[in-house]
Amino acid sequence: MGKKGYVINIGLNNVDREHYPNSLGWATAEPGAMRLHDLFKGLCYKSEPLLYDEATTSALKVRLRALAKKMKAEDMLVLSFCGHGKGVQKEFDVENSELEDEGWCMYDRVLFHFELWELASLFKKGVKIVLISDACNSGPTIGVTPETELVDPDEEYKPNVFEKHKSLYDEILSRPRIPRKKVDASVVVMSGSKEDSKTYEGSRFSYFTEALLCAWKNREPEDDYYDFFEHVQRYMFHPNRPHQLSSVWHYHEGRVDTRLPFKRTFMYND
């Protein structure tokens, strides 16, 4: 059996207003997710997008757990997210955790980055995972310590989503964290913001997704992920709000590693 590629493209123009007390509209998220879906479908990935009210935390976890069981060494998974991100400062200490936690605004609740790390730990050694995070407060997303103090994007509103659902989020945030060394898969993370910065909408897609698509169109055939992300950074432009892009991070068996086992960008057959 040959190598296989799988992709999950998540996009949310809106979320459950009963759960999130403040407006979280994002007109270009779902078009961006579908454009990425088309890109990877053209590369023969097995692709199923998760959009709007289907993009729940439980739905994503079900898909990732199913893929973790079926994927073998050298298979590749691309997981992309287009939507809002949020961060919160915990009121208590948790082992293997920093004070701040960031996450994606799925339809039903915030899915924290450490939960993605937990899901990554289910995949076999040799599996390759590429995570594309187009959201505010994305940072390296999996397993890197924040370097700056995080400001909750909802702090001017009372209550924010974490206050409105305090018991729910306290229970999630108080869970023990899986150490990075427990992850056997290789993971590459590409994000459109740092832990304390934002992403912005463009006319069709977000500025990060637009830059990624331009970089893909104009890439060199042998570009690896570091080369490719340099192209993404060059295409990033906003007239009034300079972006604060994080770089590409690679984790090998839970440790940051600059030696990429991945060759050409998004080419799972290499």
Side-chain angles (χ1 to χ4, degrees), residues 147-206:
E147 296 178 352
T148 56
E149 183 178 356
L150 180 74
V151 177
D152 182 354
D154 276 341
E155 66 177 359
E156 64 193 85
Y157 300 97
K158 298 296 181 183
N160 64 39
V161 65
F162 302 115
E163 294 166 334
K164 182 178 180 181
H165 305 284
K166 180 174 171 54
S167 59
L168 168 67
Y169 286 111
D170 279 357
E171 188 277 325
I172 296 169
L173 291 168
S174 63
R175 295 206 309 251
R177 309 300 164 85
I178 292 179
R180 293 198 297 263
K181 64 183 180 181
K182 296 292 186 181
V183 177
D184 292 328
S186 290
V187 183
V188 166
V189 178
M190 304 172 65
S191 59
S193 68
K194 292 185 177 180
E195 298 92 338
D196 59 343
S197 64
K198 296 183 178 182
T199 55
Y200 300 102
E201 288 191 275
S203 57
R204 295 186 304 163
F205 313 118
S206 76

Side-chain angles (χ1 to χ4, degrees), residues 8-12 29 33 49-51 55 60 79-83 104 106:
I8 302 174
N9 302 114
I10 306 167
L12 293 105
L50 270 177
L51 305 175
L60 177 59
L79 174 62
S80 72
F81 178 86
C82 298
W104 293 342
M106 302 293 286

Side-chain angles (χ1 to χ4, degrees), residues 6 24 40 45 61-62 73 77 79 90 100 108 110 120 125 153 157 159 161 182 192 220 225-226 228 239 247 259:
Y6 302 87
L24 286 171
F40 288 104
Y45 279 73
K61 288 186 174 184
V62 166
L77 167 66
L79 174 62
K90 296 189 292 295
E100 301 88 2
D108 56 329
V110 177
K125 185 174 182 177
Y157 300 97
V161 65
K182 296 292 186 181
E220 297 294 332
Y225 288 85
Y226 293 120
F228 180 69
S247 61
R259 299 166 299 174

